[in-house]
Amino acid sequence: MRDRLVAHMRESGLTPDSRLPTERALAETLGVARTTIRQAMLYLEGEGRILRTRRGKRGWFVAPPPLRYDPTRHRNTYRNVLEQGRRPSVETLDLAMIAADAVLARLFAVPVGIDLLRKRSIVLIDDRRVCAEQNYLLAEAFPGFLERPFRSPLTTFLEKEYGTVVRQVGFRARAARLSGAEAEALDVVPDTPGLRITRVKTDAAGRIVHVDEEAWIASAIELSVGIPID
């Protein structure tokens, strides 16, 4: 059924962001039970081919091409999107000073309660919300950060304002369902398949100064090392 559904989408000329017919309509067209269609669509959702959205009209949509990301190369998302011929943008939600909890203290290798700067934002590709991001900075390494007019991308801002070029020393990616808050922020339904990425970065002295935590819509990104594989 999965193969038949893919073939039907192709023959119907559905392009990225196109809305699929309803499950009932597909069941009637393909002559199968609606529950069978639902199982096949969930399978395709897991593959990143389609997704359910909350935008305006609810329903299943063909997923746009994913962003190719090579974790072995330190390149900010903004630049990566541009290099792939697409349009990046960032919505900054807030900038704040917080105290490190146990998890963040362990990532930064500092005592619990130390001051951190937190930047929360939404990453968009071609005006589509794809990632809920939280960046944490060691506050003592970037004095006056909250008073300076911020400009994205963050790594470029740190280099221009502080002369700090960060180096990625830790990377982790885990499959996970998006939480209700993350799904709402990204305009998709709760429990949409996601990919959680955490990066740990140091300054020239080897001090951990930047931790980046991202919750991506799984269909919006693919990890790829070396030449592109289609």
Side-chain angles (χ1 to χ4, degrees):
M1 193 63 245
R2 175 263 182 210
D3 294 343
R4 288 184 62 194
L5 191 53
V6 169
H8 179 73
M9 291 165 56
R10 186 183 304 114
E11 292 164 2
S12 300
L14 295 177
T15 57
D17 285 325
S18 296
R19 186 179 183 181
L20 275 69
T22 65
E23 294 174 10
R24 184 184 300 278
L26 285 170
E28 293 176 355
T29 298
L30 299 176
V32 296
R34 184 174 175 180
T35 54
T36 304
I37 289 292
R38 167 54 69 94
Q39 290 174 342
M41 296 180 87
L42 290 174
Y43 196 100
L44 292 179
E45 181 188 38
E47 291 182 352
R49 290 177 176 266
I50 62 175
L51 73 157
R52 288 171 290 174
T53 180
R54 302 164 62 101
R55 296 172 298 175
K57 298 179 180 179
R58 294 174 180 266
W60 291 95
F61 290 78
V62 179
L67 176 72
R68 296 189 304 276
Y69 170 63
D70 183 347
T72 66
R73 303 175 64 191
H74 179 59
R75 179 166 299 170
N76 64 56
T77 301
Y78 197 93
R79 180 181 174 189
N80 192 23
V81 174
L82 282 176
E83 290 180 350
Q84 294 182 41
R86 302 175 72 177
R87 189 173 66 257
S89 56
V90 177
E91 293 181 6
T92 298
L93 301 180
D94 63 51
L95 295 167
M97 183 84 74
I98 66 168
D101 60 16
V103 174
L104 288 170
R106 185 167 59 253
L107 288 171
F108 277 94
V110 296
V112 172
I114 200 166
D115 287 339
L116 298 177
L117 297 158
R118 184 190 66 195
K119 172 183 174 289
R120 297 192 302 173
S121 56
I122 301 296
V123 177
L124 298 89
I125 299 179
D126 301 331
D127 296 326
R128 175 192 172 213
R129 292 168 167 244
V130 296
C131 173
E133 181 181 44
Q134 297 190 88
N135 283 277
Y136 300 93
L137 302 172
L138 188 64
E140 64 184 49
F142 305 103
F145 182 92
L146 294 179
E147 287 70 46
R148 302 192 186 196
F150 176 75
R151 293 289 184 274
S152 289
L154 178 58
T155 52
T156 301
F157 179 81
L158 297 180
E159 183 174 355
K160 289 183 176 179
E161 293 290 322
Y162 294 94
T164 299
V165 178
V166 295
R167 183 172 68 93
Q168 181 174 291
V169 296
F171 175 89
R172 182 184 68 196
R174 286 180 173 173
R177 297 278 178 176
L178 296 179
S179 69
E182 292 165 343
E184 183 174 0
L186 299 179
D187 294 330
V188 294
V189 299
D191 289 335
T192 291
L195 185 69
R196 299 189 185 280
I197 294 177
T198 301
R199 302 181 189 85
V200 177
K201 305 169 187 176
T202 61
D203 59 12
R207 176 177 53 166
I208 297 174
V209 295
H210 183 193
V211 172
D212 178 16
E213 296 185 333
E214 299 174 348
W216 284 82
I217 297 173
S219 62
I221 189 170
E222 67 177 18
L223 304 186
S224 177
V225 178
I227 63 172
I229 300 174
D230 295 322

